[in-house]
């Protein structure tokens, strides 16, 4: 059992995954700092308000704090934008496509499908 565990821990996939997780958590600090210290002050300069977490309304005895949800959406969009721009810059530097839409899956053409259906119908 100990040998299996050592082999599992020494597996290249585990080491690669751990490295990715560690780098991801470190990169999170960079992105969070960029959003908090660069993007949000720019939004404050433009709109006069950056923190919408205080937005809420009351329904009876319940307070719906929709501002926190809006702030999470704003943060997500800013982080996604930063990551997209970072990857596009890396593409230019490396001359290699990193961000690209998924290719259309190749399959039979419409004509081939119709011929196959016709063949099945003729068998019956």
């Amino acid at each position: 059992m100990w040998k299996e565990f050592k082999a599992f821990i020494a597996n290249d996939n585990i080491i690669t995954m751990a490295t990715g997780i560690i780098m991801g958590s470190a990169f999170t600090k960079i992105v969070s700092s960029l959003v908090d210290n660069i993007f949000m002050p720019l939004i404050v300069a433009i709109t006069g308000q950056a923190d919408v977490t205080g937005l809420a309304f009351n329904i009876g005895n319940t307070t719906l704090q929709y501002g926190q949800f809006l702030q999470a959406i704003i943060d997500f969009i800013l982080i996604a934008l930063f990551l997209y721009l970072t990857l596009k810059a890396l593409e230019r530097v490396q001359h290699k496509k990193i961000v690209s839409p998924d290719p259309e899956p190749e399959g039979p053409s419409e004509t081939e499908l119709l011929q196959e259906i016709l063949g099945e119908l003729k068998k019956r």
Side-chain angles (χ1 to χ4, degrees):
M1 187 167 162
W2 179 249
K3 286 182 182 182
E4 288 178 9
F5 178 71
K6 283 175 40 179
F8 172 75
I9 293 297
N11 186 337
D12 287 342
N13 293 337
I14 298 292
I15 294 170
T16 302
M17 183 179 66
T19 302
I21 290 169
I22 292 167
M23 293 298 292
S25 66
F27 192 67
T28 299
K29 291 179 183 178
I30 293 171
V31 172
S32 295
S33 176
L34 179 74
V35 168
D36 293 341
N37 301 315
I38 308 269
F39 286 152
M40 291 311 246
L42 288 173
I43 291 172
V44 168
I46 293 168
T47 65
Q49 181 179 2
D51 187 13
V52 295
T53 57
L55 297 176
F57 63 87
N58 295 324
I59 298 177
N61 294 332
T62 305
T63 301
L64 295 177
Q65 297 177 340
Y66 67 93
Q68 292 179 351
F69 178 68
L70 290 176
Q71 189 67 46
I73 291 172
I74 292 168
D75 291 347
F76 173 78
I77 290 170
L78 291 175
I79 290 168
L81 175 65
F82 173 73
L83 288 175
Y84 176 77
L85 294 174
T86 301
L87 291 175
K88 292 304 273 185
L90 282 174
E91 283 179 359
R92 287 189 182 136
V93 170
Q94 295 178 350
H95 306 292
K96 166 175 138 177
K97 204 75 160 139
I98 297 173
V99 178
S100 62
D102 291 336
E104 290 293 323
E106 291 190 26
S109 68
E110 185 177 326
T111 306
E112 292 170 336
L113 288 173
L114 289 173
Q115 287 175 346
E116 186 179 323
I117 291 169
L118 184 60
E120 288 295 319
L121 289 173
K122 284 182 181 179
K123 287 180 186 176
R124 292 181 186 186

